[in-house]
Amino acid sequence: MFSPDQENHPSKAPVKYGELIVLGYNGSLPNGDRGRRKSRFALLKRPKANGVKPSTVHIACTPQAAKAISNKDQHSISYTLSRAQTVVVEYTHDSNTDMFQIGRSTESPIDFVVTDTVPGSQSNSDTQSVQSTISRFACRIICERNPPFTARIYAAGFDSSKNIFLGEKAAKWKTSDGQMDGLTTNGVLVMHPRNGFTEDSKPGIWREISVCGNVFSLRETRSAQQRGKMVEIETNQLQDGSLIDLCGATLLWRTAEGLSHTPTVKHLEALRQEINAARPQCPVGFNTLAFPSMKRKDVVDEKQPWVYLNCGHVHGYHNWGNKEERDGKDRECPMCRSVGPYVPLWLGCEAGFYVDAGPPTHAFSPCGHVCSEKTTAYWSQIPLPHGTHTFHAACPFCAHQLAGEQGYIRLIFQGPLD
């Protein structure tokens, strides 16, 4: 007999609130996922609530007084207004919510360690030399422990001494109801797609989220002192397909419900086998082509399909057709004579990026990552933050900036001739 109290039953899987998936990684980090540093992170209901909510506000006249108020065992946010004045907002335990923190720091308060994404990088050595713009304690997500398990995002995370400290230079202000609020140096941007994360999705508008979870239009540049306009009608509630940008890495939020409708890795593997079973051929060498298994996603295989990005004709690898005068980068397609880049095709293995379960018929340009038509169409319309004030569309699987008219191409396979 089961006890009616299933909550404490050890065999019961914990409730999953959702998952965060880092854009630019095709299923795992280049050197493998380790501990809190990985390409996707599941937010699971904690055995015991660890959420916090604002309680007492103190106005201190000296930084020393502020330090005395913010005791090590209590969460607090300090807003330094001037050398003479600091406002400390104490936070108290909230038994109805769970808190998850994301940032570059490897200190224990951070649940999910995120480093800068270098487009197309195959190893961590490529990423170490970059001066990071991701905050050590970038943001926090608070999830309701009861259905519908609403998840909300806030800028900044609490450090090892349970403090968030907004210095003199940070943008901060008093709100109309006498509370304090502020923005972090490079900001936390969020975009909620329209029509959810489905084949009908359309990009939404990028907004900035404050330390207290209010929504603002973007600043002129990432770290400008002047905040944007408050957007009253929008909230910090995450929805399936929301994008979170930490200035150096962008995360996709997928709800548990949304993920249940997403193709599984098994489904993608079945699609791969289906394409290979149709025995596509190189129209010139007549050799059979095959997508390598998901495990071997970085090494070009001899049967690997290659594509001419201007026309979409799929071939096996060959050496002819080089246009010497074009630095050898562009090739002439033997089928239709169009000239353009010639790249190997790779399957998109991170199922969380797919908006539908359609067959892998299209490839992003210029990287050659293959997925469904609706998925390529969706991501090619999304302006992703890049640097401190530009945006561009990028492949979700490798973070390469998209090129060409559409940013993707329909693949034209030749079937076997027998």
Side-chain angles (χ1 to χ4, degrees):
M1 279 288 288
F2 283 112
S3 70
D5 182 17
Q6 283 281 298
E7 265 286 304
N8 305 322
H9 206 277
S11 66
K12 197 166 180 249
V15 170
K16 182 194 279 188
Y17 299 128
E19 289 195 34
L20 289 168
I21 309 170
V22 189
L23 262 57
Y25 300 106
N26 195 5
S28 67
L29 296 184
N31 298 342
D33 291 345
R34 295 196 184 95
R36 293 175 293 155
R37 206 179 280 232
K38 46 196 165 188
S39 70
R40 66 191 290 169
F41 172 70
L43 282 70
L44 304 175
K45 186 172 184 176
R46 299 189 184 275
K48 214 170 136 212
N50 74 332
V52 292
K53 56 188 178 189
S55 63
T56 328
V57 178
H58 301 272
I59 296 174
C61 293
T62 64
Q64 286 74 22
K67 278 214 168 68
I69 295 164
S70 54
N71 101 38
K72 283 259 195 292
D73 299 322
Q74 181 160 31
H75 290 85
S76 65
I77 303 183
S78 309
Y79 300 85
T80 304
L81 301 180
S82 65
R83 290 206 176 140
Q85 199 182 34
T86 296
V87 176
V88 178
V89 180
E90 290 193 343
Y91 275 63
T92 172
H93 175 70
D94 181 359
S95 56
N96 297 315
T97 61
D98 284 339
M99 178 167 71
F100 300 88
Q101 300 210 132
I102 300 131
R104 182 170 50 88
S105 169
T106 53
E107 288 180 33
S108 59
I110 295 294
D111 297 286
F112 187 29
V113 178
V114 177
T115 49
D116 295 69
T117 305
V118 175
S121 77
Q122 295 303 323
S123 73
N124 283 351
S125 59
D126 300 348
T127 63
Q128 291 312 323
S129 56
V130 184
Q131 183 63 47
S132 181
T133 44
I134 300 174
S135 166
R136 291 171 56 242
F137 299 91
C139 68
R140 59 200 195 280
I141 291 176
I142 303 270
C143 300
E144 299 279 343
R145 286 173 65 85
N146 298 313
F149 307 118
T150 307
R152 296 179 180 279
I153 183 164
Y154 300 81
F158 294 98
D159 64 18
S160 298
S161 52
K162 299 188 175 176
N163 235 315
I164 290 173
F165 190 82
L166 292 181
E168 266 188 85
K169 288 213 174 93
K172 55 194 152 342
W173 58 92
K174 230 189 193 88
T175 59
S176 51
D177 56 0
Q179 299 292 320
M180 291 299 300
D181 199 357
L183 303 173
T184 53
T185 307
N186 286 333
V188 172
L189 309 188
V190 171
M191 188 207 79
H192 307 301
R194 291 179 292 138
N195 312 330
F197 196 70
T198 64
E199 45 192 79
D200 304 318
S201 292
K202 290 280 177 282
I205 298 167
W206 283 99
R207 302 293 191 202
E208 180 163 8
I209 303 294
S210 73
V211 172
C212 295
N214 292 309
V215 182
F216 293 86
S217 61
L218 300 189
R219 292 180 260 183
E220 279 198 5
T221 60
R222 277 309 271 258
S223 55
Q225 292 276 291
Q226 194 55 44
R227 69 175 192 261
K229 285 196 174 70
M230 189 160 173
V231 186
E232 304 269 0
I233 54 171
E234 292 178 29
T235 73
N236 62 338
Q237 186 175 327
L238 295 175
Q239 58 190 58
D240 193 33
S242 291
L243 286 167
I244 301 164
D245 188 82
L246 304 178
C247 196
T250 308
L251 316 179
L252 171 69
W253 167 256
R254 297 300 314 271
T255 58
E257 162 74 6
L259 285 169
S260 68
H261 303 298
T262 294
T264 58
V265 172
K266 259 201 186 112
H267 176 78
L268 298 183
E269 176 59 25
L271 291 174
R272 178 184 82 87
Q273 290 179 6
E274 206 175 304
I275 283 192
N276 290 351
R279 295 180 40 234
Q281 284 193 332
C282 174
V284 178
F286 302 124
N287 46 322
T288 302
L289 307 175
F291 278 100
S293 81
M294 304 253 189
K295 297 271 184 296
R296 305 200 41 214
K297 55 177 187 232
D298 301 328
V299 189
V300 178
D301 188 87
E302 58 192 63
K303 286 182 158 184
Q304 187 115 7
W306 285 62
V307 69
Y308 285 91
L309 285 176
N310 274 359
C311 56
H313 283 114
V314 177
H315 288 67
Y317 182 71
H318 50 76
N319 265 326
W320 67 84
N322 248 339
K323 290 279 180 206
E324 293 306 329
E325 68 276 17
R326 297 171 183 267
D327 306 334
K329 281 203 179 88
D330 283 359
R331 300 280 195 93
E332 182 177 88
C333 171
M335 301 294 286
C336 67
R337 312 300 297 268
S338 76
V339 173
Y342 174 61
V343 300
L345 291 174
W346 305 97
L347 277 177
C349 311
E350 177 47 79
F353 295 147
Y354 283 72
V355 296
D356 67 346
T361 52
H362 287 64
F364 286 108
S365 171
C367 58
H369 278 105
V370 178
C371 56
S372 69
E373 177 178 11
K374 296 253 166 81
T375 300
T376 51
Y378 177 65
W379 287 102
S380 68
Q381 299 170 50
I382 300 274
L384 293 168
H386 181 74
T388 56
H389 55 267
T390 56
F391 289 81
H392 59 225
C395 169
F397 301 106
C398 68
H400 263 305
Q401 182 173 353
L402 299 185
E405 221 165 287
Q406 286 184 302
Y408 62 94
I409 183 139
R410 184 171 76 86
L411 300 175
I412 304 167
F413 284 97
Q414 166 138 333
L417 297 175
D418 43 68

